[in-house]
Structure formats: structure tokens, C-alpha cells
């Protein structure tokens, strides 16, 4: 008995199969939450920087951003109108309103740090930081610019899936036999809705953005509570993952842009070309918290030359090293050490801390999970939220 030769697959069908397979893989890549541990590290680092900065400036808060600021309330209103910036401190120039905004911003920073009601608290943190920074932008520096940008991206990340109190609550709820009403979440959602209605009404611009976030939070709770296993819930989860992945990509691109522009601008400076720029920076009294240490380093010509050229090379080369995992990991460690050196030698710790927090999005997952395995303070994983 002879067997007939097998019929080859039709070329059109094979091509269509490859297209469907590729589309499925692409959809899985886009609609699955990526870099959860990096997002959690970024959340912890950024909120820690904001909380530390606001607590440090607590004795001077009214002079920097409040009713005692050299930039008067009327001047701040005019400057905000010209720049088109958003700040809830524009509503009133009195002390009471300022103290409420400042205290809520500090409290929300600690809440985001712990991962408590992260969706709501990250929005409150964003509003608070933007309001304070835009109240008196004349006292800001590079670190303030980084915080303003990154706190916007934080809102769109799923940064509480690991290392958070939200993850613990989600795991407990999943283990329960029946879903329970989240009274705290409902109360927060209702209170923020009433506040938006009284404060903004139905205005456009930033109020529309806040209303949209408020509505999405309510829709998410409704789907998660009443139809947790429906297609609508799966669609929301896929959309949130896509938004999270886009935000994480934007954070990484922003960090690369900061390093690249900084490096290329240094290349254009004659002092950096000569390798003597760091010598002059260490001689500035305003940026010398340890004068003896600055003088010691500034007096070593070879070390100054190596550090000056090394800084430029690292910053310019950083975006091009991301394709190689090993080189990228080494460079991230070097960049973090450089920021620590800047914080100590030049006395600008919050800018350095902000950049280190941003650098965490490039840390390898294996390294972050190894830290979790050694020190289990908060749960390391939770269902998608």
C-alpha cells in the first residue's frame, strides 16, 4: 500500500497564519503590563524625593511658595496667565489655603510611597506638586523640572502592582470568598468628585483632565466589583496596561533626552573640551558644602580631567548603550554613583535623588526581584489593578 504525498500548505494561508501569529504576539506584548518592579521602584524613589524635599523646606514653605513669597499673589497670577500654567494656589493667596495644599501634598507623597490608594493619591500628588512649583517657578532648578515632568507620567503607570499596600489589599480580596465593598475607596472617590464640582464645575482644560481621571477610576471600580471576569473588565485591564507601557517608555525616553542634551551641550563648551569645567564648578562657594573636599579634588588635575571627560562620555553614550544589557547595567551603576558624587560635592541632593529615581526604570528585573527575596517588607506581587 503506497501513501500519497502530503499536499503542501497554500502560500496564502501560510502567510495569513504568520500575520495572525505576529499580531497575537504584538497584542500580548502591548496589552500585558511590563516592568512592574521598575515602576514600583520609580514610584518609591520619586515620592520619597518629593516628601523629603517638602519636609526639608517646611520651615521656609511660606517664603518659597506661600503668602510670604517675594513673588506676590498678583504677580503669580499674572505669570501663570502668561505661561498658561495650572496651580490651585491661584484660587487664594491666603495662608490657610496654602497650608492645606502643602500638607495634602506631603501626605499624598507618603501615601504614594507606601502604595496606599495609589491611583487617587498619585493624582493628588500631581496636582499638589504642579501647584507648588507653578506658584513660584523662579526658585526652581533642574531637579524641580524633573519632578514636574515625572509626576505627570507617574499617574499613568500601574506602579502599585508590587511593593505596595494596594498589592496586599488586592491579594487579600482575591483570597476572600466574596468581594467586599471598598468603603474607603468609594468615600475617596465621592469626596474628590464633590471637590472637583465645587472647585471647577464643568470647565475645560486641566479640570477636564481631572474629571476624566475621576470618571475612569469610578468605571474601573464598577467593573472590578460587579463584573470582575467579564470582557469589559479584560478590556479595561488591557487599556491600562497599554497606558502603563506607554508611560514607562516615555519616562525612559525622557531620561535619555535629559542625559543626551546635557552631554551634547557640554561638548559645545570650551571648558568641557579642555577638561577643566569640573575644576571651576568645585571652586564655586555656593556649591561647596565640604570646601576642603572640593579643594582637594579641584587641586588634582588628572582626576579633574578624567571626571570631566568621563561625565561627557557617559551622558552622550547613555542612550546608545540601552541595546546591550550588560553595558547598560554597568553604565546605570556608574551614573547613579555619579549622582551621589554630585549630591555630596556640589550640595544639590534632591536633583541627584530625582535622577536616581528615574534611573531605576532601567534596572534589571532580576536585580529588583532579588532585593524583594531578601527583604520582604511588602508583598512582591498582586493581581492587576
Amino acid at each position: 500500500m503506497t501513501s500519497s504525498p502530503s499536499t503542501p500548505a497554500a502560500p496564502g494561508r501560510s502567510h495569513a497564519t504568520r500575520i495572525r501569529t505576529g499580531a497575537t504576539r504584538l497584542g500580548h506584548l502591548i496589552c500585558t503590563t511590563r516592568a512592574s518592579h521598575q515602576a514600583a521602584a520609580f514610584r518609591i524613589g520619586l515620592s520619597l524625593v518629593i516628601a523629603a524635599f517638602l519636609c526639608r523646606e517646611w520651615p521656609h514653605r511660606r517664603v518659597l511658595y506661600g503668602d510670604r513669597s517675594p513673588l506676590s499673589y498678583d504677580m503669580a497670577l499674572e505669570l501663570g496667565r502668561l505661561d498658561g500654567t495650572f496651580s490651585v494656589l491661584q484660587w487664594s493667596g491666603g495662608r490657610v489655603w496654602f497650608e492645606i495644599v502643602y500638607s495634602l501634598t506631603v501626605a499624598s507623597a507618603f501615601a504614594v510611597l507606601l502604595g496606599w490608594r495609589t491611583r487617587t493619591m498619585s493624582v493628588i500628588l500631581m496636582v499638589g506638586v504642579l501647584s507648588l512649583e507653578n506658584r513660584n517657578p523662579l526658585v526652581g532648578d533642574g531637579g524641580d523640572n524633573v519632578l514636574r515632568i515625572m509626576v505627570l507620567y507617574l499617574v499613568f503607570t500601574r506602579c502599585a502592582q508590587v511593593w505596595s499596600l494596594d498589592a496586599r489589599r488586592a491579594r487579600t480580596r482575591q483570597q476572600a470568598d466574596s468581594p467586599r465593598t471598598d468603603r474607603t475607596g468609594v468615600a475617596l472617590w465621592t469626596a474628590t468628585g464633590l471637590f472637583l464640582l465645587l472647585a471647577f464645575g464643568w470647565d475645560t482644560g486641566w479640570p477636564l483632565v481631572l474629571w476624566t481621571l475621576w470618571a475612569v477610576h469610578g468605571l474601573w471600580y464598577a467593573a472590578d466589583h460587579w463584573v470582575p471576569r467579564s470582557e469589559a473588565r479584560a478590556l479595561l485591564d488591557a487599556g491600562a496596561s497599554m497606558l502603563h507601557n506607554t508611560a514607562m517608555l516615555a519616562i525612559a525616553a525622557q531620561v535619555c533626552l535629559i542625559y543626551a542634551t546635557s552631554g551634547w551641550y557640554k561638548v559645545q563648551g570650551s571648558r568641557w573640551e579642555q577638561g577643566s569645567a569640573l575644576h571651576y564648578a568645585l571652586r564655586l562657594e555656593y556649591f561647596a558644602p565640604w570646601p576642603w573636599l572640593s579643594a582637594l579634588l579641584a587641586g588634582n588635575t588628572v582626576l579633574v580631567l578624567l571626571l570631566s571627560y568621563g561625565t561627557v562620555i557617559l551622558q552622550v553614550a547613555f542612550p546608545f548603550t540601552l541595546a546591550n544589557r550588560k553595558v547598560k547595567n554597568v553604565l546605570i551603576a556608574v551614573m547613579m554613583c555619579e549622582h551621589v558624587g554630585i549630591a555630596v560635592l556640589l550640595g544639590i541632593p534632591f536633583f541627584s535623588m530625582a535622577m536616581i529615581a528615574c534611573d531605576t526604570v532601567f534596572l534589571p528585573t532580576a536585580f529588583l526581584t532579588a532585593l524583594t527575596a531578601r527583604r520582604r517588607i511588602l508583598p512582591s506581587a498582586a493581581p492587576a489593578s
Side-chain angles (χ1 to χ4, degrees):
M1 182 176 179
T2 60
S3 59
S4 59
S6 59
T7 304
R13 181 180 299 178
S14 177
H15 181 66
T17 302
R18 287 197 298 268
I19 292 177
R20 286 195 298 269
T21 303
T24 302
R25 291 178 179 176
L26 180 61
H28 178 73
L29 177 66
I30 297 176
C31 298
T32 302
T33 302
R34 304 290 175 178
S36 298
H37 290 83
Q38 287 82 352
F42 173 72
R43 181 201 87 229
I44 294 171
L46 187 67
S47 58
L48 180 61
V49 173
I50 295 173
F53 173 75
L54 294 180
C55 290
R56 182 207 181 262
E57 300 297 347
W58 183 271
H60 316 290
R61 63 192 184 282
R62 295 175 62 189
V63 177
L64 291 175
Y65 310 111
D67 54 306
R68 293 182 179 177
S69 173
L71 187 68
S72 66
Y73 175 67
D74 295 333
M75 294 175 63
L77 285 179
E78 181 64 19
L79 186 60
R81 184 187 66 82
L82 294 175
D83 295 341
T85 55
F86 167 79
S87 176
V88 296
L89 292 176
Q90 296 174 354
W91 299 348
S92 173
R95 179 182 179 182
V96 175
W97 177 238
F98 166 74
E99 296 288 4
I100 292 174
V101 173
Y102 199 96
S103 300
L104 280 177
T105 306
V106 175
S108 62
F110 281 110
V112 173
L113 174 64
L114 297 175
W116 183 80
R117 307 290 173 178
T118 312
R119 289 201 196 108
T120 302
M121 292 303 160
S122 62
V123 176
I124 296 176
L125 180 63
M126 176 192 69
V127 173
V129 170
L130 293 180
S131 298
L132 293 174
E133 295 288 350
N134 293 333
R135 170 59 177 85
N136 188 5
L138 303 180
V139 299
D141 56 15
D144 295 90
N145 293 333
V146 172
L147 294 180
R148 265 197 296 259
I149 295 171
M150 296 303 173
V151 78
L152 289 170
Y153 294 143
L154 181 68
V155 173
F156 301 101
T157 62
R158 309 182 79 174
C159 56
Q161 286 195 339
V162 298
W163 303 340
S164 68
L165 297 178
D166 287 343
R168 175 181 296 176
R169 187 178 66 256
R171 186 176 61 178
T172 302
R173 183 184 60 187
Q174 188 183 48
Q175 294 173 351
D177 296 334
S178 59
R180 295 176 297 177
T181 302
D182 186 5
R183 294 185 177 86
T184 304
V186 172
L188 279 174
W189 186 78
T190 304
T192 51
L194 291 175
F195 175 78
L196 289 176
L197 183 61
L198 295 175
F200 298 110
W202 305 104
D203 199 1
T204 57
W206 270 100
L208 181 60
V209 174
L210 298 177
W211 273 118
T212 302
L213 292 173
W214 179 82
V216 170
H217 288 180
L219 179 63
W220 188 277
Y221 173 80
D224 199 35
H225 184 73
W226 286 303
V227 285
R229 295 177 178 84
S230 66
E231 292 184 1
R233 173 63 174 79
L235 182 62
L236 282 175
D237 187 67
S241 296
M242 292 175 61
L243 195 60
H244 163 87
N245 295 334
T246 303
M248 292 298 292
L249 183 61
I251 294 170
Q254 186 70 50
V255 175
C256 291
L257 184 63
I258 291 173
Y259 284 138
T261 53
S262 178
W264 285 111
Y265 271 112
K266 287 182 174 67
V267 170
Q268 301 175 34
S270 59
R271 301 298 184 188
W272 288 99
E273 290 180 1
Q274 298 168 2
S276 60
L278 187 59
H279 170 81
Y280 294 100
L282 292 172
R283 289 295 185 179
L284 296 175
E285 294 183 1
Y286 184 77
F287 295 103
W290 314 99
W292 61 272
L293 182 58
S294 299
L296 180 64
L297 292 177
N300 192 323
T301 306
V302 176
L303 184 58
V304 168
L305 182 68
L306 293 176
L307 290 177
S308 299
Y309 284 151
T311 298
V312 175
I313 294 173
L314 287 174
Q315 292 180 346
V316 172
F318 179 78
F320 303 100
T321 63
L322 298 180
N324 189 301
R325 181 179 301 177
K326 294 182 179 179
V327 176
K328 182 261 297 182
N329 293 340
V330 173
L331 201 59
I332 283 294
V334 175
M335 296 295 284
M336 288 185 174
C337 292
E338 180 187 12
H339 287 306
V340 173
I342 292 174
V344 174
L345 293 176
L346 301 182
I348 45 178
F350 295 108
F351 168 74
S352 299
M353 291 169 61
M355 290 307 303
I356 291 176
C358 296
D359 289 342
T360 57
V361 300
F362 299 103
L363 291 176
T365 304
F367 172 75
L368 295 173
T369 53
L371 293 179
T372 307
R374 292 185 178 183
R375 301 191 66 177
R376 293 186 177 276
I377 301 176
L378 292 175
S380 59
S385 60

